[in-house]
Amino acid sequence: MILVTGGAGFIGSNFVLDWLAQSDEKIINLDKLTYAGNLQNLSSLSKDTRHIFIQGDIGNTQLVSQILAQYQPRAIINLAAESHVDRSIHGPEDFIQTNIFGTFHLLEAVRTYWNELESIAKQNFRFLHVSTDEVYGSLTRNEPAFTEEHRYEPNSPYSASKASSDHLVRAYHHTYGLPILTTNCSNNYGPFQFPEKLIPLMIANALARKSLPVYGDGQQIRDWLFVTDHCSAIRRVLEAGIVGETYNIGGCNEKPNIEIVQTICTLLEDSFPDSAFHKLITYVKDRPGHDRRYAINATKIERELNWKPAETFETGIRKTIQWYLNNQQWIADIQTGTYREWIEKNYLGLLK
Ligand code: NAD
Ligand code: DAU
């Protein structure tokens, strides 16, 4: 079996569902259930004995050691993290705690477990660390996309904490020989994404006829990848990636934020022809330290591991909007008191 951490979050729950749709190998899911973790995402597995959910912190070495000893996983996919840049600006502490200390404690428990495995299991074991393109910093409009050799230049507390975790993972390979793999992926979108991130926030606000807050001039560029394509890339790296290597994952879908928001408005107007969603677009104060452009060069994973995304942005965004239209209760259930407090804290001061 394999162990996934953060499997009740956006990418994690998509990964768990995808994994079990393609294989009968059991999956243990260790998740702290922070505000971002949601067991509703996995309700279709409630009677599926192939999924073992354990609520807990990756930083709890004793718990992790006990899970490893009991279930003897052949691989770990580390997705658990604090993941939202704006929250890291308001309060970096949780990011340092989980992304740096949590990863460190997890690595310590895994190192002890791995050292005690018998030789074949030890050789076949993998620790796959899921990271982000944000560790590479920001690109100007004409600079080439990030390769795996690009220097680390993180600009937000979130990306700095992820960069630290990447360095720790790398060091555990070089120093202790732990068989690690690292992936650095671009912006994901799709079902189950928490409506604090650009695409689900815009869809949720539009459906509620609330303003659509675009930071700064809206010309910041991100490279968008449909979440199930990220999941297939992780599976492929786990299966065939070379130990110690890093793989960049991206969709070759660079788009300015304003274009994303306009596309959402246009597609929603197909479903609600009487609503003028474009009129809800509101430019607000920029995010401090806002990275201008991310772009991924995914040649390595395409060439060496024969991976390619299945979705284009045009197909992926339609599926995403349809999913949110079909799952408005899922959005409503998340928009509790703490969610409303966050929205007030982040956006009240931003109106220009
Ligand atoms: P998310 O915030 O939706 O989910 C994170 C999950 O981790 C939640 O279920 C949360 O409860 C859990 N978690 C948080 N702290 C924990 C802890 N200490 N112990 C155990 N579980 C904990 O995040 P996401 O968007 O699904 O991202 C998952 C991973 O992928 C993160 O490592 C993120 O940095 C990385 N990543 C995300 C994107 C993206 O666009 N969302 C892109 C590239 C990489
Ligand atoms: O690049 C990968 C990263 O993508 C992941 O590592 C992060 O976990 C993930 O959150 C994401 O980070 P971003 O900061 O790029 O994502 P976010 O959805 O927060 O913002 C996308 C862009 O949209 C960014 O340029 C900021 C802008 N934005 C965002 C929000 C929430 C707005 O203009 N208005 C908004 O209200």
Side-chain angles (χ1 to χ4, degrees), residues 83-86 132-134 158 185-187 196-198 201-202 213-215 220 222 224 257 287 290 294 347:
S83 70
H84 187 33
V85 174
D86 292 311
T132 168
D133 60 358
E134 301 205 8
Y158 162 67
C185 187
S186 62
N187 283 63
E196 63 185 355
K197 308 281 169 65
L198 180 73
L201 181 95
M202 294 300 161
V214 175
Y215 296 162
Q220 301 82 7
R222 299 290 182 265
W224 295 93
N257 293 338
R287 172 188 277 176
H290 199 170
Y294 304 141
Y347 294 97

Side-chain angles (χ1 to χ4, degrees), residues 6-12 30-38 56-59 78-83 98 130-133 158 162 185-188 193-194 196-197 230:
F10 161 49
I11 300 171
L30 172 65
D31 194 296
K32 188 176 172 182
L33 294 182
T34 66
Y35 78 92
N38 186 349
D57 194 320
I58 56 165
N78 183 32
L79 285 143
E82 289 293 336
S83 70
T98 284
V130 177
S131 192
T132 168
D133 60 358
Y158 162 67
K162 289 296 288 184
C185 187
S186 62
N187 283 63
N188 286 215
Q193 188 168 29
F194 196 83
E196 63 185 355
K197 308 281 169 65
H230 188 186

Side-chain angles (χ1 to χ4, degrees), residues 1 28 52 54 63-73 113:
M1 63 176 71
I28 314 149
I52 301 157
I54 299 168
L63 173 68
V64 174
S65 301
Q66 188 198 315
I67 293 169
L68 295 175
Q70 182 176 349
Y71 295 104
Q72 303 270 308
Y113 164 72

Side-chain angles (χ1 to χ4, degrees), residues 121-152:
K122 192 170 183 183
Q123 208 181 319
N124 291 338
F125 182 81
R126 296 288 181 272
F127 181 91
L128 192 158
H129 179 62
V130 177
S131 192
T132 168
D133 60 358
E134 301 205 8
V135 297
Y136 299 125
S138 186
L139 294 168
T140 58
R141 196 169 261 278
N142 297 317
E143 274 180 293
F146 302 128
T147 66
E148 290 78 2
E149 277 72 49
H150 202 281
R151 72 184 267 199
Y152 269 39

